[in-house]
Every structure is written in structure tokens, then in C-alpha cells.
Amino acid sequence: MHALRRARRGLAATAAVGTALAALCAATPAQASTAGATATATVGGSQVKCTSQRPGLAARLSKDLAGALHGRDRAAALALYDRTSATSCSFRADTAFDSASVVKVTILGALLRQTMEQHRALTAREVELTTAMITKSDNDATNTLWHQIGHTGIQHFLTLAGMRDTVPGPKGYWGHTQVTAADQVKLLRLLTSDNSVLDGHARTYALRLMNRVVPEQRWGTPAGAPTTATVQVKNGWLPRDTHGWRVHSVGVFTGGGHDYGMVVLSQDNRTMDDGVATVEGAARAVNRDLNTSTAA
């Protein structure tokens, strides 16, 4: 009888261990698949940090971006996402810069949010103004819309969008709005996914305008982009007595299996061309690495 009891206890313990091992084995692949890999590379006194589900991509991106930003580490910032490979990168992404004209996408978002809340379509005049503001970077159109929406309307949109580090420019100077790469990427994500801030019609309208930017302003983040992608871009450039030229670019890449966006901000550029070179150096690294099938 005692032997039988001991045998039963032994069988029960074996079964329990087997069940626990089975549960552990079942859970481990799922945990590994969602964790991804993180890699960092130091440039100057800051780090490029990337995370990705694609093997090798985080290490490759961080290394290549550090190389592209070498010598510009204190005057640039970057943030990106790629939904297809669950990839994200950041470099000084919380550093504030004068927005220059990249703020025009935020202004467009604020106007579109207002029309949603007012349950109306854009007027013919608003279509004219937003088209000029985004596709040609027209400053007069931007002035009109900035004052029409008002500080309260701009701030309302920023709050809804979670862009907490963006500070509207004082006294109507929209180009002096303080922006960060992290907040600008939040905006790009809003424009390319279902959300409660901007509906499908608003998102489609904004992306269509960014896709129609005039050829002479399609520099920056589109550098090195795959021909299979639909490119949406908005750039900004502004010289000031302090910190020289601000040169920025935000871009979204969709269609053809692509679903990613990036922001590159820069200042302390001696000329506008210097700033464009900084932005495009980083953009080429991103566009190349995200679209290489094997990230070795």
C-alpha cells in the first residue's frame, strides 16, 4: 500500500513538472517574438538607440546613423518608426528646435481637427490655403491659417495628439514654434494609422498634400527612398542670428509594402546646403537599411 502511494505521488510530481515545462516552452517563443533587439551606438556625447524585431537591423541602423551624424551630433536630432519590422530609433529626440516650416503639418492637423469637431468640410478658401501651405510652403497662407485657428485651437490639437513638448511660437511667429523629433514622429504616426484625433478623411487629405509637394522642395527625408514607396514630405528651413540655419525634414513612406516615417532636425548649419546634407545623410542610411532584406 505504501509503495503504491509513493508511486502515485511520483507520477503526480512528474506530471506537474511536465506541465510546467510545457507551459514554459509555449510561453518563451511568444515572449522572444515581442521583445525585439535593442542596440546603441555613441556619436559625440549622445547615443543613437534602435529597437527592432528584424534580426540585425537595430545594430545596423544604430551604427549607420552614428556614422551619418558624426560631426553633427550636437546640432541634429532624429526619430523614426517602421511598422513592418517593429523598428524605432531615436537620437536626441527630446531636444527642442525652432520648427521653421515643418510646423505647417501641425497647423494642417489642427485645422482638420477643428472641422471634425464642427462637423463640416473644408471651405474652398481653406482648401486653397492648405494646398499652398503644404505643397509650396507658402508663408502668407500659413499666416492666415495660424491666426484663423488661433493659439487655443493649435494647443487643443497638440494636447489631443500627445505632443506635450511642442510649444506654439509666441506673438504669431509660427516658425519659432518649439518642436522635438519625438513629437513630430507622434504626428506622423497619427497621419498613418486609425486614431480618434484625425479621421480617415482628414488623414488622407493631409497625406495627399504632402505627396504633392513641389519638386524643388522634395529634398531631405526622401533621399534614397525606394521607388516602390509613395513618399509624403514636408521640409522647413530658417536662418537666424543664433544657431545659424535650421534645416528640417519629416517624411512618411507608404504603399508597396512600406509603412514607415522619419524626422530629421538640424541647426547650427553654416548654409542651407549644409543642413540639407546633414538631413539627407541620415535619411539615406534609414532608407537603405530599412529596405535591405537582410540586415547583416
Side-chain angles (χ1 to χ4, degrees):
M1 179 67 70
H2 292 301
L4 181 59
R5 287 175 181 167
R6 285 196 297 271
R8 286 175 176 169
R9 285 198 297 268
L11 287 172
T14 302
V17 171
T19 300
L21 286 173
L24 179 61
C25 292
T28 300
Q31 292 166 353
S33 66
T34 57
T38 299
T40 60
T42 301
V43 51
S46 304
Q47 283 191 330
V48 180
K49 181 178 180 180
C50 296
T51 301
S52 180
Q53 294 259 346
R54 186 188 301 172
L57 181 56
R60 180 174 181 173
L61 265 172
S62 60
K63 175 178 178 292
D64 289 350
L65 283 170
L69 294 169
H70 179 70
R72 301 291 297 147
D73 50 282
R74 295 186 180 182
L78 174 145
L80 69 92
Y81 71 88
D82 176 34
R83 292 191 179 97
T84 60
S85 59
T87 297
S88 63
C89 291
S90 64
F91 174 73
R92 302 178 72 240
D94 294 327
T95 303
F97 291 75
D98 287 334
S99 67
S101 287
V102 293
V103 75
K104 292 172 182 178
V105 182
T106 299
I107 296 170
L108 175 61
L111 175 64
L112 294 171
R113 178 65 196 186
Q114 274 193 348
T115 63
M116 286 173 55
E117 294 182 354
Q118 294 167 358
H119 305 289
R120 67 175 180 84
L122 291 171
T123 66
R125 177 61 172 159
E126 288 169 339
V127 170
E128 177 185 349
L129 291 170
T130 54
T131 300
M133 177 176 69
I134 299 298
T135 65
K136 300 178 182 179
S137 206
D138 185 275
N139 290 338
D140 290 338
T142 306
N143 289 335
T144 300
L145 290 171
W146 179 264
H147 291 292
Q148 174 184 320
I149 299 164
H151 182 277
T152 300
I154 297 290
Q155 188 58 60
H156 177 59
F157 175 73
L158 293 173
T159 300
L160 292 176
M163 298 168 67
R164 297 179 181 85
D165 294 325
T166 300
V167 181
K171 300 179 180 179
Y173 291 106
W174 46 262
H176 295 177
T177 296
Q178 297 300 289
V179 299
T180 66
D183 268 7
Q184 289 294 293
V185 154
K186 288 180 182 179
L187 179 58
L188 297 184
R189 286 182 178 273
L190 277 179
L191 293 176
T192 55
S193 63
D194 291 339
N195 61 83
S196 60
V197 181
L198 294 174
D199 61 23
H201 176 76
R203 297 194 304 271
T204 298
Y205 182 77
L207 291 174
R208 185 166 65 242
L209 290 184
M210 292 172 70
N211 177 246
R212 292 170 50 197
V213 166
V214 294
E216 57 268 28
Q217 294 182 20
R218 297 186 69 81
W219 46 266
T221 50
T227 57
T228 52
T230 300
V231 177
Q232 290 95 178
V233 65
K234 184 69 194 82
N235 296 324
W237 56 98
L238 173 69
R240 296 189 69 184
D241 291 338
T242 57
H243 294 297
W245 279 85
R246 286 86 166 142
V247 181
H248 313 317
S249 183
V250 303
V252 172
F253 307 83
T254 57
H258 307 287
D259 188 0
Y260 65 98
M262 75 174 103
V263 174
V264 188
L265 309 178
S266 73
Q267 62 183 18
D268 292 312
N269 297 291
R270 187 175 57 85
T271 66
M272 180 174 172
D273 286 346
D274 288 344
V276 172
T278 295
V279 172
E280 292 192 341
R284 286 192 180 92
V286 172
N287 283 317
R288 180 185 64 246
D289 289 357
L290 289 183
N291 294 288
T292 300
S293 57
T294 304

